[in-house]
């Protein structure tokens, strides 16, 4: 009797899975063949980075339909293939796609409830409160702090090359951005440039280097979000959560008791928490809770630490391989510094060719390789008979689009001339989206660019970089990292430029 019952249940489950996996076929949409239990994506075994996997799917099915079908576990997922469809999702029909569909758990895992993850009116209200903290005026105010850290960055490189001329720059870049974001987001001198064992640096590495067990857990919470909440599953490791709460509480308590004020994000977040408005503004934005302050400080750290260091890493990688481009970028920096009387905010804003190099590195190696959106209400796809139901996820393959030869001829060639003003004006919209696009575009783009330009300008003013024998060309991307990360790091030869 029990054997018959178990066999019956097994048969019913198999039939259910088969029906799930026939979803796109029934709707007449081209799709990537799934394999149970993970669907179209295998999180373990012989893997490639998700950027390259989505590019493979994109190249396989582009031109067949505005989008393709995939499966995440047994859930059908949309892979965007057409620029007009992407425009609908990100801008034109934003009201149907205003959420990212990412896991967040306000009760058990409040650090996940930051601006990048949250949805609906909560996202709208929080973005309105935080947007003024990223104004150009606030960036100019923070610039001297970043420049002071850049000077320590230069000293750390000088000390390292006094012993050897080949160094691994990815680690130095991560330490630089850790010190920048630790100071600007938390008002704390992390000192990771002098101390590679600094706690902030350890936390950053722990967050972004994802072991297989956490990848599988991420797949689970992303697919079964409501069940994960009922099971009280946390996406942020417990020790990471404790660390950031401790840092924020101690920083706020010290400043309140001592009356210390600094030109950083923490000061701005404290103003919002205590008064609901920023000094010098009459706009009532509304107060933030402690959980909201910690969550936003946490996501500032994530964005300022990893994306900027990754962008600088790949830009420096290309400059080391392309000496003429490196020299042209150096001349651009030197000209701006001479014109504005030193490396300052005005000089950083007047480095067009360095910006072109950064933008081209972002094209070739976008830190966020795929954008995610969730269908918030049933959506009838224009010019088709397909309806995307509420709750379905849409993936937009940024890396694949950035490497499409239709939009960027010879996509593997590093060519900053793609980003002259004339070329940018000719480019099709939605073919270049390193910061996202539409209302949910990255709120901290100005800060990220200022941090990146400061780091690269400091390096180019003081050092010359060439390829090391230990540098892997082309780079292989680590499958253990969420962001694009080169396996083996960034080994280059470094020569000090005599001033």
């Amino acid at each position: 009797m029990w054997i018959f019952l178990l066999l019956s249940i097994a048969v019913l489950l198999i039939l259910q899975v088969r029906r799930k996996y026939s979803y796109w076929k029934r709707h007449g949409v081209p799709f990537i063949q799934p394999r149970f239990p993970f669907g179209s994506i295998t999180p373990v075994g012989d893997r490639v980075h998700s950027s390259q996997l989505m590019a493979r799917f994109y190249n396989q099915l582009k031109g067949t339909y505005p989008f393709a079908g995939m499966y995440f576990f047994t859930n059908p997922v949309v892979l965007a293939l057409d620029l007009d469809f992407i425009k609908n999702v990100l801008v034109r029909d934003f009201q149907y796609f205003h959420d990212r569909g990412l896991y967040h758990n306000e009760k058990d895992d409040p650090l996940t409830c930051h601006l990048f993850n949250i949805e609906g009116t909560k996202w709208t209200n929080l973005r309105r409160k935080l947007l003024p903290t990223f104004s150009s005026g606030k960036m100019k105010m923070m610039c001297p702090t970043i420049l002071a850290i850049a000077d320590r960055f230069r000293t750390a490189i000088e000390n390292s090359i006094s012993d050897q001329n080949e160094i691994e720059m990815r680690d130095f870049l991560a330490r630089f951005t850790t010190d920048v974001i630790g100071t600007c987001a938390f008002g704390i001198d992390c000192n990771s440039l002098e101390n590679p064992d600094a706690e902030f640096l350890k936390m950053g590495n722990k967050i972004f280097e994802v072991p297989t067990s956490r990848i599988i857990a991420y797949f689970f919470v992303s697919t079964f979000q409501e069940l994960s909440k009922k099971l009280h599953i946390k996406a942020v490791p417990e020790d990471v959560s404790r660390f950031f709460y401790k840092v924020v509480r101690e920083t706020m308590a010290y400043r309140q008791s001592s009356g210390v004020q600094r030109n950083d994000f923490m000061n701005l977040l404290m103003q919002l928490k205590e008064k609901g408005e920023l000094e010098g503004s009459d706009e009532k934005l509304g107060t933030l809770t402690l959980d909201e302050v910690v969550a936003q400080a946490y996501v500032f750290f994530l964005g300022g630490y990893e994306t900027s260091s990754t962008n600088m890493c790949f830009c420096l990688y290309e400059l080391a391989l392309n000496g003429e481009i490196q020299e042209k970028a150096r001349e651009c920096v030197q000209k701006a510094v001479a014109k504005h009387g030193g490396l300052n905010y005005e000089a950083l804003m007047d480095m067009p060719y360095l910006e072109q190099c950064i933008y081209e590195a972002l094209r070739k190696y976008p830190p966020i390789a795929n954008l995610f959106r969730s269908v918030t209400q049933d959506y009838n796809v224009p010019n088709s008979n397909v309806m995307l139901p509420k709750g379905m996820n849409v993936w937009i393959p940024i890396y694949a689009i950035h490497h499409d030869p239709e939009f960027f001829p010879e996509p593997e060639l590093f060519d900053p001339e793609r980003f002259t003003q004339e070329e940018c004006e000719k480019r099709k919209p939605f073919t270049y989206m390193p910061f996202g696009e539409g209302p949910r575009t990255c709120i901290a783009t100005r800060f990220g660019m200022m941090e990146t330009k400061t780091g690269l300008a400091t390096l180019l003013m003081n050092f010359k970089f060439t390829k090391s024998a230990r540098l892997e060309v082309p780079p292989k991307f680590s499958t253990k990292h969420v962001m694009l990360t080169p396996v083996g790091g960034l080994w280059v030869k470094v020569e000090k430029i005599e001033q």
Side-chain angles (χ1 to χ4, degrees):
M1 176 66 181
W2 285 108
I3 294 176
F4 176 76
L5 181 60
L6 290 173
L7 285 173
S8 299
I9 292 173
V11 169
L12 288 173
L13 288 174
I14 291 170
L15 292 174
Q16 175 69 4
V17 169
R18 284 185 175 178
R19 177 162 178 78
K20 282 264 193 180
Y21 281 165
S22 69
Y23 181 89
W24 291 120
K25 185 175 182 180
R26 295 199 312 272
H27 287 80
V29 175
F31 64 95
I32 303 298
Q33 192 67 41
R35 289 191 297 178
F36 186 78
F38 298 111
S40 304
I41 303 169
T42 304
V44 292
D46 183 20
R47 297 179 288 126
V48 295
H49 194 271
S50 64
S51 59
Q52 295 168 310
L53 185 62
M54 292 306 109
R56 184 188 303 168
F57 295 161
Y58 172 89
N59 293 328
Q60 181 180 331
L61 294 171
K62 182 193 171 189
T64 60
Y65 208 70
F67 59 88
M70 298 192 311
Y71 294 91
F72 194 61
F73 280 89
T74 57
N75 291 343
V77 173
V78 171
L79 178 67
L81 303 174
D82 174 76
L83 296 183
D84 200 51
F85 176 74
I86 291 171
K87 182 178 182 179
N88 288 341
V89 171
L90 296 180
V91 178
R92 191 182 288 143
D93 296 324
F94 177 73
Q95 68 271 26
Y96 291 90
F97 302 96
H98 57 72
D99 298 339
R100 286 197 171 97
L102 300 175
Y103 180 71
H104 55 284
N105 184 340
E106 186 172 1
K107 180 180 178 183
D108 302 298
D109 200 5
L111 280 196
T112 58
C113 296
H114 49 68
L115 190 65
F116 193 81
N117 283 359
I118 61 173
E119 303 175 340
T121 55
K122 284 187 176 181
W123 168 78
T124 303
N125 292 335
L126 186 58
R127 186 178 175 96
R128 182 178 63 85
K129 293 175 185 178
L130 295 177
L131 197 59
T133 67
F134 292 95
S135 67
S136 57
K138 297 294 189 295
M139 295 304 100
K140 186 174 183 179
M141 180 181 71
M142 294 182 199
C143 189
T145 301
I146 300 176
L147 289 169
I149 296 170
D151 196 52
R152 284 164 32 196
F153 182 36
R154 173 189 56 77
T155 301
I157 301 293
E158 286 178 352
N159 291 339
S160 181
I161 63 174
S162 64
D163 299 325
Q164 55 182 339
N165 71 337
E166 286 191 5
I167 60 175
E168 201 286 292
M169 282 298 301
R170 181 178 176 272
D171 177 60
F172 273 106
L173 292 166
R175 286 153 64 184
F176 167 66
T177 57
T178 296
D179 284 0
V180 168
I181 203 65
T183 301
C184 291
F186 298 91
I188 291 176
D189 188 357
C190 304
N191 203 29
S192 68
L193 283 166
E194 286 80 21
N195 177 21
D197 295 322
E199 197 70 15
F200 263 96
L201 190 61
K202 288 182 179 178
M203 289 298 156
N205 290 333
K206 182 163 188 173
I207 293 164
F208 286 100
E209 186 168 341
V210 187
T212 299
S213 59
R214 275 183 62 198
I215 292 175
I216 294 174
Y218 168 75
F219 268 60
F220 184 87
V221 299
S222 299
T223 306
F224 308 107
Q225 294 194 18
E226 292 307 314
L227 176 60
S228 297
K229 290 178 182 178
K230 290 178 181 177
L231 294 174
H232 308 289
I233 294 177
K234 297 184 177 183
V236 179
E238 186 64 35
D239 57 339
V240 173
S241 182
R242 284 197 305 269
F243 172 78
F244 281 99
Y245 266 94
K246 177 176 180 288
V247 168
V248 171
R249 283 196 180 102
E250 289 180 353
T251 301
M252 290 174 60
Y254 171 73
R255 293 190 184 190
Q256 287 166 345
S257 63
S258 65
V260 168
Q261 289 199 18
R262 296 183 59 169
N263 292 327
D264 55 24
F265 286 125
M266 184 56 66
N267 185 49
L268 300 173
L269 290 173
M270 287 178 66
Q271 290 174 25
L272 289 174
K273 180 179 182 295
E274 294 164 8
K275 303 175 184 176
E277 62 183 53
L278 299 176
E279 289 180 6
S281 171
D282 297 327
E283 186 180 2
K284 297 291 184 181
L285 298 168
T287 58
L288 297 176
T289 66
L290 175 64
D291 284 344
E292 287 175 326
V293 169
V294 180
Q296 302 335 302
Y298 171 71
V299 80
F300 291 167
F301 176 79
L302 299 190
Y305 162 73
E306 182 71 5
T307 56
S308 294
S309 66
T310 297
N311 183 213
M312 282 191 284
C313 178
F314 283 116
C315 190
L316 195 60
Y317 165 88
E318 292 289 351
L319 294 179
L321 296 180
N322 298 277
E324 290 185 8
I325 294 175
Q326 181 182 157
E327 190 55 38
K328 189 172 179 180
R330 181 175 293 108
E331 289 173 2
C332 168
V333 171
Q334 292 170 338
K335 181 180 177 182
V337 168
K339 178 180 176 181
H340 296 281
L343 185 59
N344 49 38
Y345 181 80
E346 288 72 22
L348 289 169
M349 297 301 108
D350 192 18
M351 298 180 181
Y353 191 74
L354 180 61
E355 279 194 6
Q356 289 173 221
C357 293
I358 293 170
Y359 290 145
E360 174 67 346
L362 286 168
R363 178 200 67 81
K364 196 172 176 185
Y365 311 99
I368 305 295
N370 305 290
L371 292 182
F372 304 97
R373 293 294 184 268
S374 179
V375 182
T376 53
Q377 51 183 309
D378 292 351
Y379 177 73
N380 293 307
V381 180
N383 305 314
S384 81
N385 297 320
V386 178
M387 186 271 289
L388 305 182
K390 179 180 177 179
M392 181 173 283
N393 287 328
V394 178
W395 292 13
I396 299 172
I398 301 300
Y399 178 91
I401 294 168
H402 284 191
H403 287 75
D404 189 333
E406 179 185 347
F407 310 132
F408 297 97
E410 297 184 85
E412 298 308 317
L413 177 68
F414 184 79
D415 182 11
E417 297 302 321
R418 301 182 202 269
F419 291 93
T420 61
Q421 184 176 344
E422 295 76 17
E423 289 298 313
C424 289
E425 288 172 354
K426 292 190 294 185
R427 184 167 300 121
K428 289 183 179 180
F430 301 94
T431 56
Y432 182 70
M433 298 178 285
F435 305 110
E437 194 59 82
R440 285 201 83 139
T441 189
C442 177
I443 193 175
T445 298
R446 280 195 187 103
F447 180 82
M449 284 297 293
M450 183 171 70
E451 181 183 25
T452 299
K453 282 195 284 187
T454 302
L456 289 174
T458 299
L459 292 175
L460 289 170
M461 285 171 62
N462 295 281
F463 308 99
K464 181 179 179 180
F465 301 89
T466 52
K467 178 181 177 294
S468 162
R470 302 170 71 175
L471 184 65
E472 188 167 354
V473 181
K476 182 180 179 182
F477 302 140
S478 169
T479 58
K480 294 181 179 180
H481 288 78
V482 178
M483 304 285 185
L484 285 182
T485 303
V487 173
L490 174 65
W491 284 93
V492 289
K493 293 180 181 179
V494 186
E495 178 186 344
K496 181 168 173 54
I497 297 173
E498 298 302 328
Q499 303 297 325

